[in-house]
Amino acid sequence: GHHELLSPPFLELIPEICIVEPDRLGMSLPVMLAGERIAETAARDLKDNDFLTLMREDVRPHAYRTCLEVIGRPCGLWGRMVAELTSGAPAEFEITGFPVIDESRDPCQIAFLFRYVPTKLEPARYVSGITGGIESGWIDLGHGVPETSAGVFI
């Protein structure tokens, strides 16, 4: 049940978790839940906003298609992303995403864990936008993985 998510070690990850529910009819990733560290880093509350607005416009279609693959197959994904801070400096973060599968067995949401990799010069705070990816891959959950390049916002 869901109570396992509210016990350690998962409890300590909640500030870094974002849950999106891809809109299958239009290109958007509405945010259902965003942990406090994610809201701090984005310098705004993301709940009820489109996660794609955090991304550079040219990477949005691929990010959306990637999320549809995650819930459609279903499969997981991981990656190392690059974001731009409001200061203009780059920041790196790691992302892992899994479909949320409930009793209906029809995944419609994705839980992402974001781990920011702070630099010595500047902590990864106040992100103005996700600009692309460094590397990424699919995670096979028993249903295979897409043949497309392992694409997490790349």
Side-chain angles (χ1 to χ4, degrees), residues 4-17 113 115:
E4 288 93 357
L5 292 176
L6 298 177
S7 61
F10 297 107
L11 195 57
E12 66 190 45
L13 299 177
I14 289 176
E16 296 174 315
I17 288 179
L113 173 65
R115 303 306 305 258

Side-chain angles (χ1 to χ4, degrees), residues 23-142:
D23 182 342
R24 294 177 198 225
L25 302 176
M27 193 176 75
S28 69
L29 299 175
V31 176
M32 311 313 286
L33 178 144
E36 62 188 53
R37 270 193 218 120
I38 292 172
E40 272 175 25
T41 304
R44 62 181 182 241
D45 182 11
L46 295 175
K47 187 165 176 356
D48 300 323
N49 286 292
D50 183 357
F51 190 81
L52 291 177
T53 61
L54 275 182
M55 299 179 189
R56 203 175 60 204
E57 220 169 301
D58 61 319
V59 300
R60 292 176 188 175
H62 189 71
Y64 174 72
R65 286 191 305 273
T66 298
C67 288
L68 290 182
E69 287 280 8
V70 169
I71 62 173
R73 186 160 291 263
C75 62
L77 57 86
W78 65 271
R80 287 176 40 226
M81 306 291 111
V82 176
E84 184 176 288
L85 302 178
T86 52
S87 67
E92 184 181 320
F93 60 96
E94 297 173 0
I95 179 174
T96 307
F98 289 101
V100 176
I101 300 174
D102 63 12
E103 297 79 26
S104 72
R105 306 294 299 160
D106 182 26
C108 62
Q109 296 180 334
I110 304 169
F112 286 105
L113 173 65
F114 287 87
R115 303 306 305 258
Y116 292 88
V117 182
T119 66
K120 290 180 182 167
L121 299 175
E122 184 168 11
R125 295 191 60 194
Y126 310 117
V127 169
S128 65
I130 296 169
T131 57
I134 301 168
E135 64 177 324
S136 61
W138 299 106
I139 300 170
D140 191 338
L141 301 177

